[in-house]
Amino acid sequence: MSQNNITSKFLQRAKEILGPAGFIDDIADMDSYLSDWRGRMKGDAPFVARPANVEQVSQFMALCSEYGVSVTPQGGNTGLVMGGLPDGEVLLSTKRLRGVRNVDPLNDSVTVEAGIILAELQELVAKEGRLFPLSLGAEGEAQIGGLISTNAGGVAVVKYGMMRDLVLGLEVVMPDGRVWDGLTALRKDNTAYDLKQLFIGAEGTLGVITAATLKMLPAPAVKMVSWLCVESPAKAVELLAMAKAETGGAVSSFELMPKIGVDFVMEQIPDARNPHPDAKSPWYILMEISFPREEGAREVMETLLEKSMEAELVTDGVLAESEAQAFEIWKVRETLPLAEKAFGKAVKHDVSVPVSLLPEFIERANERVYKIAPQANIISFGHVGDGNMHYNVAPPEGMNDVQFGENFGSELTEAIHDLVCEMNGSISAEHGIGTMKRDELAERVSDVELDMLRAIKKALDPDYRMNPGKVLSEI
Ligand SMILES: Cc1cc2nc3c(=O)[nH]c(=O)nc-3n(C[C@H](O)[C@H](O)[C@H](O)COP(=O)(O)OP(=O)(O)OC[C@H]3O[C@@H](n4cnc5c(N)ncnc54)[C@H](O)[C@@H]3O)c2cc1C
């Protein structure tokens, strides 16, 4: 699928543009770039290009255009749908694009290059007394360019939105090497089409994002974290509505976990502590509320918890009394995917439906799963606050996970994705399409939508050289 007219002249010119630190073709040195985060798949590339600035990206992309060479951009390589792994293309890593170009506290904006890691950005913004609210498990590795290219979500979407909601402007190197300077810091700009939106979530198929201007938000004065027992997802959704109303929209995280998932964490993660060991609830909620002021925050929180118990939405719970306790509660949620692994590779689904339909979705999905694999362990957890569930189906105890995947994997996924589509949901809530969901995307979207997607790709990447094989298999 990739075009690789790599000649010795091309290689010589690539080396001249990139310099010794920007060109890797040693197999061992390329290994970390070519293995996916979960270690399940290997990519293949003639070499890794590591440009140090936008000029080098531009010159390198122009060279690739001249020779008809295909390119796969890569950031922190934490993506979960194989979007950043090349299949014979040149891998263009943004690791060396590390500049902080501007911080403007009065405009509440910051401009950084694509290779800045999310945790670094959070720290930089915190020094200004502000918040960069995007937060997810891979924040120590995922880079700004990759997070924008996958329109990342995470645990605070309920209050702050996804990456798309945090981007003001972009700088992009196009497949032919031209630089689009769209680095505006404007909150109002109605001049024609909003081009940056095309590149957000495009998974590297339209151009290379080299820098972004991002929003800074007011930092909360206090965050209160609670661990709440609920009888059902329906009660959780009602609790969310109550919490939003009682706190004036200050709910910043609202994560649902089933008992089986919490039990896995306690069995598998040595230093994890159950926030409420005596409670035997079928479901748990991690609720974080971010208050702009300390005064009155505790009272609001206590009133909310009292009301939720009176309304029989919450049966029991714990309010973290210290940062350490809040950390322990978060640890249960964050280590759940790791703990789940110990029970074998699950058939995973990253799906969303409107929040109000989540309880119905879980019930109907469970029915379908048990018809296909009656003994399966269903671990559905995630970002209930924004309607996104990680609906994972693990093998029954004693069954080999590979055998489980082979016997039931595709049937389970088809049944769950059918249901998602019947409920007007999404088969990719936050991880993207990559190669993993590419063929399914083409089958499930309408003809008119597929035509528009292909037309955009054709207009911006007419030679089909930008991350070919990802998102769309043809144009
Ligand atoms: C433990 C863990 C937890 C996670 N939790 C979440 C979560 O809660 N929410 C969520 O949304 N995601 C989550 N993810 C997925 C992942 O972190 C995101 O997809 C992240 O945005 C990828 O960033 P990256 O820099 O690693 O990009 P990569 O994995 O390197 O690339 C991802 C895609 O973006 C493209 N790309 C990368 N950089 C550029 C660029 N500069 N220009 C153009 N295209 C580019 C690549 O070609 C690829 O298609 C999680 C991943 C892990 C490992």
Side-chain angles (χ1 to χ4, degrees):
M1 208 170 287
S2 67
Q3 303 166 41
N4 266 343
N5 307 320
I6 293 184
T7 62
S8 54
K9 184 72 188 160
F10 170 84
L11 287 173
Q12 184 202 329
R13 286 178 61 191
K15 285 178 189 170
E16 280 164 16
I17 292 168
L18 299 164
F23 186 96
I24 303 177
D25 61 354
D26 179 86
I27 302 280
D29 293 344
M30 290 204 292
D31 189 61
S32 63
Y33 296 90
L34 297 178
S35 313
D36 87 289
W37 190 84
R38 290 195 173 113
R40 292 182 186 182
M41 283 190 76
K42 280 272 176 206
D44 172 37
F47 66 92
V48 175
R50 303 190 337 139
N53 51 50
V54 61
E55 291 76 23
Q56 285 187 6
V57 179
S58 168
Q59 287 168 24
F60 182 68
M61 291 303 291
L63 180 71
C64 291
S65 172
E66 187 184 328
Y67 282 79
V69 170
S70 302
V71 175
T72 294
Q74 188 186 86
N77 195 15
T78 68
L80 299 174
V81 291
M82 311 302 156
L85 282 194
D87 182 17
E89 298 78 43
V90 171
L91 191 153
L92 189 154
S93 165
T94 52
K95 270 194 180 159
R96 292 172 76 215
L97 298 179
R98 307 261 314 137
V100 175
R101 300 223 191 135
N102 185 36
V103 183
D104 184 349
L106 291 182
N107 191 52
D108 275 325
S109 61
V110 55
T111 302
V112 294
E113 293 186 346
I116 295 286
I117 289 169
L118 176 55
E120 294 172 333
L121 179 70
Q122 291 165 342
E123 236 173 79
L124 173 80
V125 170
K127 281 194 191 131
E128 300 297 322
R130 306 289 203 283
L131 173 77
F132 189 71
L134 196 79
S135 177
L136 43 82
E139 64 195 23
E141 295 164 82
Q143 298 176 9
I144 295 310
L147 292 154
I148 294 172
S149 299
T150 56
N151 184 27
V155 292
V157 173
V158 58
K159 181 165 165 61
Y160 302 106
M162 297 184 67
M163 194 50 154
R164 194 180 292 286
D165 300 292
L166 302 170
V167 175
L168 293 171
L170 289 182
E171 177 185 82
V172 180
V173 176
M174 302 306 295
D176 62 7
R178 285 179 300 162
V179 181
W180 174 53
D181 180 357
L183 280 178
T184 83
L186 304 174
R187 277 164 176 81
K188 278 191 169 176
D189 178 12
N190 277 347
T191 46
Y193 306 132
D194 189 354
L195 293 176
K196 66 177 179 293
Q197 300 298 351
L198 290 179
F199 298 95
I200 302 172
E203 300 182 50
T205 59
L206 300 178
V208 183
I209 295 171
T210 46
T213 300
L214 301 157
K215 291 180 189 169
M216 300 197 291
L217 287 108
V222 55
K223 284 185 186 178
M224 295 211 172
V225 176
S226 53
W227 175 261
L228 306 172
C229 304
V230 293
E231 281 296 316
S232 64
K235 298 269 185 190
V237 166
E238 279 187 58
L239 171 65
L240 172 65
M242 177 186 269
K244 281 182 181 169
E246 285 290 322
T247 63
V251 179
S252 46
S253 293
F254 197 87
E255 300 283 313
L256 180 71
M257 285 154 279
K259 180 175 183 305
I260 183 174
V262 175
D263 290 349
F264 280 175
V265 173
M266 295 312 136
E267 281 168 37
Q268 295 299 321
I269 308 293
D271 49 353
R273 279 201 43 220
N274 191 329
H276 194 345
D278 300 334
K280 297 281 173 270
S281 177
W283 295 92
Y284 298 91
I285 290 286
L286 181 164
M287 180 167 72
E288 182 186 87
I289 314 250
S290 295
F291 292 97
R293 266 173 224 95
E294 282 214 55
E295 306 81 66
R298 189 155 189 109
E299 290 71 23
V300 173
M301 196 70 197
E302 283 172 358
T303 307
L304 165 62
L305 294 182
E306 262 169 42
K307 282 193 176 175
S308 64
M309 286 192 176
E310 269 167 32
E312 297 182 355
L313 300 179
V314 169
T315 53
D316 206 346
V318 172
L319 178 57
E321 296 294 342
S322 63
E323 272 190 30
Q325 210 181 349
F327 178 82
E328 273 178 2
I329 293 178
W330 266 112
K331 186 164 183 159
V332 179
R333 165 64 186 89
E334 277 170 357
T335 54
L336 203 161
L338 270 183
E340 180 200 86
K341 267 189 188 167
F343 286 77
K345 214 189 280 179
V347 182
K348 292 176 190 274
H349 308 93
D350 162 39
V351 297
S352 63
V353 294
V355 175
S356 52
L357 296 184
L358 259 180
E360 182 189 332
F361 166 74
I362 294 173
E363 208 177 305
R364 289 175 64 190
N366 290 357
E367 277 169 20
R368 292 188 186 193
V369 167
Y370 289 135
K371 270 192 196 145
I372 297 166
Q375 309 299 324
N377 284 310
I378 300 173
I379 308 146
S380 50
F381 66 97
H383 319 304
V384 166
D386 55 54
N388 174 198
M389 290 303 286
H390 298 306
Y391 188 94
N392 299 344
V393 187
E397 262 186 85
M399 186 188 277
N400 174 287
D401 55 2
V402 178
Q403 198 191 342
F404 180 71
E406 278 170 9
N407 289 351
F408 302 111
S410 41
E411 204 184 337
L412 284 169
T413 297
E414 194 180 341
I416 290 159
H417 286 180
D418 280 351
L419 177 62
V420 166
C421 294
E422 283 162 35
M423 298 179 79
N424 278 329
S426 167
I427 61 162
S428 178
E430 58 177 6
H431 295 158
I433 298 296
T435 52
M436 280 171 62
K437 294 183 182 171
R438 182 194 62 200
D439 297 340
E440 201 180 343
L441 175 87
E443 279 164 23
R444 289 194 184 266
V445 297
S446 64
D447 288 349
V448 61
E449 191 167 331
L450 195 57
D451 280 353
M452 285 194 281
L453 292 172
R454 286 181 174 153
I456 290 167
K457 171 78 175 165
K458 207 169 187 165
L460 299 188
D461 178 26
D463 302 328
Y464 195 68
R465 286 186 305 101
M466 280 309 305
N467 214 1
K470 316 291 163 44
V471 184
L472 293 169
S473 61
E474 55 184 278
I475 48 176

